[in-house]
Amino acid sequence: QVQLVESGGGLVQPGGSLRLSCAASGSIGFINPMGWYRQAPGKQRELVAMITRSGSINYADSVKGRFTISRDNAKNTVYLQMNSLKPEDTAVYYCHAERLSVSIWGQGTQVTVSS
């Protein structure tokens, strides 16, 4: 009933920036929280950032000060502004939402940080 569509991934040099977007559609009511996870090859998926309906935010220690999560309630969209990117940020980034205790995942978007 809910679809999450990510966009904005790509190839960027170290120190560069990208902005990821995740648009929710369908049965969007009661979606809370929303966030971003990432998964590098051979590693487990990890939380990058999350934001609640009320605006509470949590970041992974590895991205604090570099990434900013935000949401536009009118557009039903969550964003991840990624600055000062490092090679270790390379991963598939997944949008995530929870609706009535059910996890919803986007298809993922590749972020590659390389010189």
Side-chain angles (χ1 to χ4, degrees), residues 39-67:
Q39 188 168 24
K43 297 184 178 180
Q44 289 189 301
R45 191 170 299 184
E46 64 175 352
L47 175 69
V48 177
M50 63 89 71
I51 184 168
T52 69
R53 188 188 305 118
S54 63
S56 296
I57 294 172
N58 187 50
Y59 295 103
D61 288 341
S62 60
V63 306
K64 286 182 178 178
R66 300 188 298 120
F67 292 7

Side-chain angles (χ1 to χ4, degrees), residues 67-96:
F67 292 7
T68 303
I69 190 170
S70 61
R71 65 191 299 170
D72 186 333
N73 291 326
K75 296 181 178 180
N76 300 310
T77 301
V78 63
Y79 305 94
L80 186 68
Q81 179 66 46
M82 308 165 67
N83 297 327
S84 301
L85 283 162
K86 304 175 180 179
E88 50 263 47
D89 295 318
T90 296
V92 177
Y93 284 70
Y94 296 91
C95 183
H96 174 262

Side-chain angles (χ1 to χ4, degrees), residues 12 17 28 42 60 84 87 91 104:
V12 66
S17 298
I28 59 175
S84 301
I104 308 297

